[in-house]
Amino acid sequence: MRIATWNVNSIVPRLPRVLDWLEHSAPDVLCLQELKGTTEAFPVEPVRELGYEVAAYGLGRWNGVAILSRIGLADVTRGLTGEPQFDGAAEARAIGATCGGVRVWSVYVPNGREPDNPHYAYKLEWLEALRQTVSAELSDAPFAVLGDFNVAPSDEDVWDITAFADSTHVTGPERTALERLRAVGLGDVFPRPQKYDHPFTYWDYRAGNFPNNRGMRIDLVYGNRAFTGAVADSYVDREARKGKGSSDHAPVVVDLSLPSPAA
């Protein structure tokens, strides 16, 4: 079974690249983030033509998440238990579904902006709601939370930690929130290095950042023991970040040695 996660940075302009990637990479499940559109605006039909069911959750703001599956899509949940709002409004940042016997959540954690910004406190509250939701759902069946966490778990997960002084994504409280999430029974599925010694998943659009590998590992896959124990391979598909019109994130791909369920 192949499961992937990808922040596409707006699904409509990125659709041709997503469809091409689905065809040549053939994931059984693809978790998407940052759709930038409503649930109804998701381009369902082109994806269905490739054999995928779609569960989307979008509210027309700068967020939105989806799960695409060709091995079944059941028990869809939109939003977290006790999920906070920002400025009095709900945001579409989490969607869960069971696909071929594996429970997956596609999450787009709030950015946080700056440590003294109200969005940062919202980010920490949101991560706590995620922890509580995951804790309530965990069982012996394969389970994973995948997506753009907007947190680099360690200093090695950014290209130069000195460039992030007084910035979000690397602060102690954010990393502690990730540790608390993992502590409920999740492990970090770390992608194998390819071109460079340490895998990154995000590179800012500014000139030279991607070719010079000035990136971050903020797109993560956290799974329970049944999930991590079945991992046969994991990697970041850097090819998807190349070329005109790409997202600023690359897909993270996880191959599992689980029985292939019927579609």
Side-chain angles (χ1 to χ4, degrees):
M1 182 186 296
R2 172 166 287 182
I3 299 179
T5 181
W6 192 4
N7 177 321
V8 292
N9 190 12
S10 192
I11 184 61
V12 172
R14 224 70 67 196
L15 182 61
R17 294 186 68 115
V18 171
L19 296 176
D20 179 70
W21 193 83
L22 285 171
E23 287 195 275
H24 83 255
S25 296
D28 296 296
V29 179
L30 175 60
C31 296
L32 298 176
Q33 301 88 41
E34 201 172 355
L35 303 180
K36 295 183 179 178
T38 64
T39 301
E40 295 74 21
F42 190 94
V44 171
E45 288 309 315
V47 175
R48 280 181 176 165
E49 290 176 4
L50 296 180
Y52 290 87
E53 296 180 77
V54 176
Y57 180 33
L59 295 172
R61 296 183 175 90
W62 300 104
N63 41 76
V65 286
I67 298 173
L68 282 52
S69 174
R70 62 179 186 177
I71 55 173
L73 193 64
D75 304 321
V76 175
T77 304
R78 292 174 172 85
L80 304 174
T81 302
E83 186 172 355
Q85 297 183 345
F86 185 68
D87 277 347
E91 296 190 320
R93 293 186 174 274
I95 187 169
T98 302
C99 307
V102 179
R103 182 68 174 172
V104 299
W105 277 87
S106 175
V107 301
Y108 182 33
V109 177
N111 179 281
R113 300 176 185 169
E114 298 91 25
D116 60 353
N117 191 295
H119 207 257
Y120 180 82
Y122 165 62
K123 179 178 190 175
L124 298 180
E125 293 171 2
W126 197 96
L127 283 166
E128 175 58 20
L130 176 62
R131 186 191 69 82
Q132 293 182 18
T133 301
V134 168
S135 180
E137 281 205 358
L138 277 180
S139 68
D140 293 334
F143 178 100
V145 184
L146 309 91
D148 179 358
F149 281 73
N150 270 314
V151 183
S154 72
D155 288 358
E156 290 72 28
D157 290 312
V158 297
W159 69 278
D160 181 1
I161 191 60
T162 64
F164 290 84
D166 303 318
S167 298
T168 57
H169 294 61
V170 299
T171 67
E174 292 168 288
R175 288 177 172 174
T176 296
L178 281 192
E179 291 169 3
R180 284 173 51 79
L181 175 62
R182 292 193 299 267
V184 305
L186 302 179
D188 185 354
V189 179
F190 193 85
R192 60 178 166 85
Q194 293 179 303
K195 183 175 181 179
Y196 298 96
D197 292 340
H198 197 92
F200 295 145
T201 65
Y202 164 84
W203 302 261
D204 188 271
Y205 282 128
R206 283 174 288 190
N209 277 10
F210 179 65
N212 290 300
N213 202 37
R214 294 195 289 263
M216 309 172 70
R217 186 176 77 99
I218 57 176
D219 301 88
L220 310 172
V221 178
Y222 284 167
N224 69 352
R225 184 172 298 181
F227 186 94
T228 60
V231 174
D233 192 14
S234 179
Y235 62 93
V236 179
D237 189 350
R238 287 174 50 89
E239 294 299 314
R241 176 60 176 81
K242 296 179 179 179
K244 185 177 180 180
S246 68
S247 171
D248 45 3
H249 295 250
V252 180
V253 181
V254 179
D255 288 330
L256 303 174
S257 57
L258 293 172
S260 298

